[in-house]
Amino acid sequence: MAADERIEPRDWMPDAYRSTLVRQIAQHAHSEIIGMQPEANWITRAPSLRRKAILMAKVQDEAGHGLYLYSAAETLGASRDDLLDKLHSGRQKYSSIFNYPTLTWADVGAIGWLVDGAAITNQVPLCRCSYGPYARAMVRVCKEESFHQRQGYELLLALSRGTEAQHAMAQDAVDRWWWPSLMMFGPPDAESSHSEQSMTWKIKRHSNDELRQRFVDICVPQAESLGLALPDPDLKWNEERGQHDFGAIDWSEFWSVLKGNGPCNEQRMTQRRRAHEEGAWVREAAAAHAARHSERERATGDSERAIENSERAAEDSEREEATA
Ligand SMILES: [Fe+2]
Ligand SMILES: [Fe+2]
């Protein structure tokens, strides 16, 4: 770790390093798949074919991110069934941001710009995480996240430059998503229980507050070009620090949503459990197909080897005849 080398699945690792990674990667994976819900809500109501196609691609990407991450957790010996079971029974969490509702079409833009934007700020440093499979998954995820962020920004720009009502819709969405997006970086450093150990293990490279500050500094000029205001009267450039100052975050809201009292916690979990149950036949069919496929491969593998062997034998005897 001191040499900045990657830790790979077969390497020895402390139990606590393994369990920290499983917990973090699982929570990340759960967030990706739960995160599909608020936006999927708008697929049938997207205002044009182009917007619908983009949104479908984006939501499918999130499913893909979940798959990369569950696979990364499996390299640590975790079982996917067990992780999903923990999600469904509330023993593992997902990002609280997805417990907020998507009330208008502009929310799709605000999620892309702010929520995917915050996710990128969090995940770019994870590309250098000490655990190899997680770091490599993040490289791919981040490329897709930047497409998500751009589509959100472009959607909001179209609304902001549209009619008065469209502009107001965009502003309302930004007003609702701004503060929860800042909460995505987690509690302040002083109260963050896992941060220090994760920094030593190079799972985390920057503190919650550092990343939050970076995100605010990125968003301010973007909001200006969008022609939208960020809902914080205390937000202003601090010449001395070379960063923006911003207002106090309402952490009581964060803890309350985390504990299950957000506007959509119940809805998200009910929908997730239902999707899991309704998808049981797909998982069974896929497992049966995989089993049959590997059986067939073994059988054709055997017969191919038999042909190869007899060919080799024929060549050998020809060679013997020639030398004789
Ligand atoms: Fe994602
Ligand atoms: Fe995304």
Side-chain angles (χ1 to χ4, degrees):
M1 229 172 248
D4 245 343
E5 281 169 14
R6 289 273 154 82
I7 313 300
E8 297 298 337
R10 286 167 201 273
D11 292 341
W12 177 86
M13 59 187 89
D15 288 344
Y17 177 79
R18 188 186 297 275
S19 60
T20 298
L21 275 168
V22 169
R23 182 180 47 77
Q24 181 174 333
I25 297 174
Q27 181 171 328
H28 192 164
H30 300 331
S31 304
E32 299 285 354
I33 61 168
I34 298 275
M36 296 167 73
Q37 291 184 35
E39 292 183 284
N41 181 32
W42 281 93
I43 289 177
T44 53
R45 292 173 288 168
S48 69
L49 181 60
R50 173 173 167 269
R51 292 287 179 198
K52 195 202 264 289
I54 293 171
L55 185 55
M56 277 167 52
K58 198 233 172 200
V59 172
Q60 284 180 338
D61 280 355
E62 305 301 2
H65 297 171
L67 295 184
Y68 305 156
L69 287 160
Y70 285 122
S71 300
E74 282 174 325
T75 66
L76 290 158
S79 110
R80 192 177 300 206
D81 286 343
D82 179 53
L83 298 180
L84 285 170
D85 199 49
K86 285 184 172 135
L87 169 65
H88 298 151
S89 60
R91 281 174 295 155
Q92 278 179 347
K93 303 255 176 245
Y94 55 90
S95 179
S96 265
I97 191 84
F98 301 118
N99 292 315
Y100 289 87
T102 41
L103 303 179
T104 71
W105 169 250
D107 288 31
V108 171
I111 289 181
W113 178 43
L114 295 173
V115 177
D116 290 279
I120 296 171
T121 310
N122 248 330
Q123 290 168 11
V124 163
L126 284 175
C127 298
R128 293 186 301 122
C129 158
S130 59
Y131 187 58
Y134 191 29
R136 288 188 289 273
M138 279 305 108
V139 172
R140 195 159 165 182
V141 166
C142 282
K143 285 181 186 164
E144 294 174 352
E145 290 303 349
S146 55
F147 155 70
H148 299 169
Q149 195 268 356
R150 287 305 296 249
Q151 68 85 34
Y153 182 88
E154 195 260 348
L155 194 165
L156 282 180
L157 189 65
L159 288 176
S160 179
R161 290 181 176 169
T163 64
E164 218 170 282
Q166 286 171 330
H167 180 91
M169 188 195 271
Q171 183 61 59
D172 170 63
V174 169
D175 289 347
R176 283 181 291 106
W177 288 93
W178 174 248
W179 291 106
S181 301
L182 294 190
M183 294 175 198
M184 280 176 73
F185 296 92
D189 295 348
E191 291 162 39
S192 178
S193 49
H194 304 294
S195 274
E196 212 173 301
Q197 183 59 263
S198 289
M199 298 272 266
T200 316
W201 279 331
K202 296 187 177 171
I203 296 172
K204 234 176 130 86
R205 297 280 183 164
H206 309 279
S207 77
N208 295 353
D209 287 332
E210 277 169 19
L211 292 168
R212 188 164 16 244
Q213 179 70 54
R214 187 179 294 178
F215 178 67
V216 170
D217 292 331
I218 291 170
C219 285
V220 170
Q222 293 182 349
E224 255 164 56
S225 2
L226 280 171
L228 296 170
L230 295 173
D232 180 358
D234 297 323
L235 187 65
K236 59 173 182 298
W237 179 250
N238 182 323
E239 193 65 56
E240 227 166 87
R241 292 200 303 126
Q243 289 170 328
H244 290 86
D245 291 334
F246 55 95
I249 293 169
D250 178 4
W251 289 109
S252 64
E253 177 182 323
F254 174 79
W255 294 115
S256 153
V257 176
L258 197 71
K259 284 194 189 96
N261 305 319
C264 300
N265 296 56
E266 189 131 358
Q267 185 186 332
R268 300 294 182 239
M269 287 305 293
T270 307
Q271 168 63 16
R272 172 90 278 282
R273 287 192 206 103
R274 186 169 58 218
H276 189 72
E277 276 160 30
E278 286 174 1
W281 71 272
V282 180
R283 291 190 298 278
E284 280 159 21
H289 175 76
R292 201 173 305 163
H293 193 76
S294 66
E295 208 172 274
R296 203 176 302 146
E297 222 158 50
R298 211 175 308 122
T300 50
D302 285 350
S303 61
E304 272 167 18
R305 258 190 305 279
I307 293 167
E308 266 171 37
N309 284 343
S310 69
E311 278 172 358
R312 205 168 305 133
E315 276 171 27
D316 284 350
S317 67
E318 267 170 38
R319 211 170 303 130
E320 268 165 30
E321 271 167 35
T323 45

